[in-house]
Amino acid sequence: VLLSFGFTHCAAVCPVTLATLAQARQSLGAQAAAVQVVFVTVDPERDDPARMKTYLAAFDPSFVGGAGRPEALAAMRKDYGIVATKVPMASGGYAVDHTSSIFLIDRDGKLRAMMPYGRDARDYVHDIQLLLAR
């Protein structure tokens, strides 16, 4: 599992991350079937399951979105050490500043690695292949 936290109204970080993960999955060929990308919202006020599904399908239809009750999502963020802060925008509305690391979780559900924002798809492919070989 490649676990990422973000939101569908994100202007830059989330789309770049999801595009990179889609490219990594594509590069894996047949091995991609063993990899699941999960994108959990940090903005449950705007990100319902339908919006998440539509947004993620633009990157890769196999991507799964996590949405739900704000309290449950806050507990999950705490478990993973994710910081998410609502930031008002001058034009109205808000953005959410959030931790942008990607968590690589093995088949046994153990966290094996974290990848910082901005890494190339090849870096993901390398680490995923190491995890799949175990």
Side-chain angles (χ1 to χ4, degrees):
V1 170
L2 303 177
L3 177 63
S4 176
F5 292 81
F7 64 115
T8 63
H9 288 79
C10 184
V13 173
C14 299
V16 168
T17 297
L18 292 168
T20 301
L21 296 178
Q23 183 181 3
R25 274 193 93 250
Q26 186 176 18
S27 297
L28 286 166
Q31 289 180 308
V35 178
Q36 180 64 65
V37 171
V38 178
F39 182 75
V40 178
T41 186
V42 296
D43 186 11
E45 292 176 34
R46 297 185 289 193
D47 290 342
D48 62 26
R51 179 170 178 82
M52 294 282 285
K53 183 176 182 175
T54 300
Y55 179 74
L56 293 171
F59 297 96
D60 185 315
S62 75
F63 287 8
V64 173
R69 293 185 342 265
E71 314 80 51
L73 293 168
M76 185 176 187
R77 287 193 308 272
K78 183 178 179 185
D79 289 346
Y80 280 92
I82 300 296
V83 176
T85 306
K86 194 182 285 190
V87 179
M89 297 174 67
S91 60
Y94 64 91
V96 182
D97 287 345
H98 61 88
T99 306
S100 57
S101 298
I102 310 301
F103 299 88
L104 285 75
I105 301 168
D106 71 12
R107 290 180 179 125
D108 296 324
K110 294 181 181 172
L111 177 62
R112 292 297 185 180
M114 281 179 33
M115 193 82 71
Y117 171 74
R119 299 303 301 238
D120 190 86
R122 291 173 295 196
D123 295 329
Y124 287 98
V125 170
H126 174 266
D127 287 5
I128 291 166
Q129 287 177 326
L130 289 174
L131 289 173
L132 291 175
R134 301 186 104 228

